[in-house]
Amino acid sequence: MTDPKQDAAATADNTIQQYDAIVIGAGMAGMYQIYKFQEAGLSVRAFETGSGVGGTWYWNRYPGCKFDSESYSYGYSFSEELLQEWNWKEHFSRQPDTERYLNLVADKFDIRKNIEFNSRIKSAKFDESQNRWLIETDAGIKASAKYLVTGVGPLSAHTMPNYKGMDNFKGGSWHTARWPKEKVDFTGKRVAVIGTGATGVQVIQEMVNMAEHLTVYQRNPNWCAPLNNGLITDQEQTDIKASYPEIFDKCKQTHGGFIHSPDMRSVFDVTPEERDALYEKLYAEKGFGIWVGSFYDTQMTEEANQSRTDFIANKIRGRINDPALAEKLIPKDHGFGTKRVPLETNYYEAYNQDNVDLVDLRETPIEEVTAKGIKTKAGELEFDYIIYATGFDPVTGALNRIDITGRNDLKLKDKWSDGPLTYLGLQSVGFPNFFTLVGPHNAATLCNIPRCIEQNVEWVTDLVGHMEKNDLKVVEPKPESEKSWTEEVLAAGEVSPFMKVNSWLSGINSNVPGKQERSFQVYAGGAPKYREYCDTESGKNYDGFSIS
Ligand code: NA7
């Protein structure tokens, strides 16, 4: 292993810091990777753009930002002491509490000392003569390491629309993922929110009670379902703490790492009354049950999904006073659950309030943003604030924003220009000793993410341990491994409902050149199957990799 001091002295350019491993990002993946490398005795340095830990839970500080997974299924599972020490306040934790939790983790496991904050890595290049990665930050910091691990997040590269005149707006304006740290007072203000994905839905339902007037600009509606959040009572807290092993065991067995598992009956094997009774029950329960806990085939075929889609459409109709408005909020081009389902609290009821208007961008597209507001062909509306809840350049987006160069000057961006090519969504040929946690083609992106983060990190740490123990220098996938994994990803995608509609899950972002076509960015075969592939690979001594 590298002794940073000795190596720094040995290198010709002693301004280059030397480590065993560099981690990009100090979100939940990066933090756990730092901890595992520390535990393994490696010297590690993480570079993080933000001024604090948390990644997603650092940047997304908009009102209403919270988990859609049950809090106790989302936190780290690796430390029993941490599990017993931390009290989740709500069944679905809000961002401020989650950020506090992640800061506690950073302090408790002493990882902050190994993080360079306010540092964006702009380039990473593999030096074939040394078998080491050289990174450089925006601020000109240079560092070299044997291993480079990315924890950049699948939804961190936020995207703005390309409307004419956006810079001319004189009011306050920002993307939800760059919400100001200081409190903004919306009392008496006119606010516009553009975008109605999971983020837009969360911010709209809070903003309606904060602003004097709210105008929602919706391009396509999403199917939303109730979150049914609540405070965790003392008794529930005790029960949760006593049942963590069962909670995590359950998550391990389900397709997406959630605590909800499908009803193994076919929707066609039950009477319409039994069918609707299950939908009613799930609609009244907490979290994603209505999405992933329904009849198993509702997530498999359009025919099976139809009754659930009709059920939800009727729920929406029942919650909105104006029937014409309700129809605008009901998706007509895809079935329930074929995109990421936003969970909500009184979202539909918000549209019954006098201080809320919906602008349907399919009828009246935005022509330009003016100094005072937003102009469509129906006229100009004036605002004090414009909030962009317009999503992210998915999965490869954050990696593409770094200039990553492997062997023979091959750029990762170029290699993946027609779609990612990976082995297990963790490595790519030509990029030795380089690992992408929650990367493209990885099951973690379609998962209750921390559950899959822990699997990714532990697997990478084991492989690095194997390298160190056997004094090995480089690891990269064999071309045939990459080929067969990529085929496996495509095959799983072909039958996945998520790949049949446009959303970030199918790789679409209308604001990013080159992301207008659906592409297979995620492994849709499920977390258990993915884990099995990874375990098989390590079980056969990493036979799918070239290691030297
Ligand atoms: P999403 O789910 O990608 O949603 C983005 C929203 O912004 C969606 O309603 C888009 O409409 C809308 N959008 C994007 N670009 C534009 C432009 N140019 N004009 C108008 N509207 C636009 O991102 P979220 O942040 O809500 O959620 C991301 C994930 O984070 C979520 O799934 C959770 O897992 C956490 P569209 O549907 O494309 O018509």
Side-chain angles (χ1 to χ4, degrees), residues 155 161 163 195-199 219-220 340 361 389-392 504 511:
L155 295 168
Y163 299 128
T196 51
T199 302
R219 192 163 59 184
N220 287 294
R340 195 322 195 152
L361 294 177
T390 44
F392 302 87
W504 70 262
N511 308 308

Side-chain angles (χ1 to χ4, degrees), residues 56 60 62 68 155 159-163 175-176 194-201 217-222 288 339-342 361 366 388-392 449 502-505 508-511:
T56 289
N60 289 273
Y62 58 84
D68 282 344
L155 295 168
T159 55
M160 297 288 271
N162 306 306
Y163 299 128
H175 192 281
T176 41
I194 303 176
T196 51
T199 302
V201 166
Y217 288 84
Q218 170 188 273
R219 192 163 59 184
N220 287 294
N222 271 296
F288 280 138
K339 292 187 188 186
R340 195 322 195 152
V341 175
L361 294 177
I366 293 175
Y388 294 94
T390 44
F392 302 87
I449 287 191
N502 289 352
S503 81
W504 70 262
L505 280 172
I508 299 285
N509 183 309
S510 66
N511 308 308

Side-chain angles (χ1 to χ4, degrees), residues 159-175:
T159 55
M160 297 288 271
N162 306 306
Y163 299 128
K164 187 176 142 200
M166 277 168 59
D167 290 343
N168 299 337
F169 181 61
K170 297 276 183 257
S173 160
W174 52 80
H175 192 281

Side-chain angles (χ1 to χ4, degrees), residues 520-540:
F520 298 87
Q521 305 254 328
V522 298
Y523 174 60
K529 202 166 162 198
Y530 174 77
R531 193 179 335 106
E532 224 176 277
Y533 275 112
C534 291
D535 290 349
T536 304
E537 179 57 51
S538 46
K540 54 185 188 148

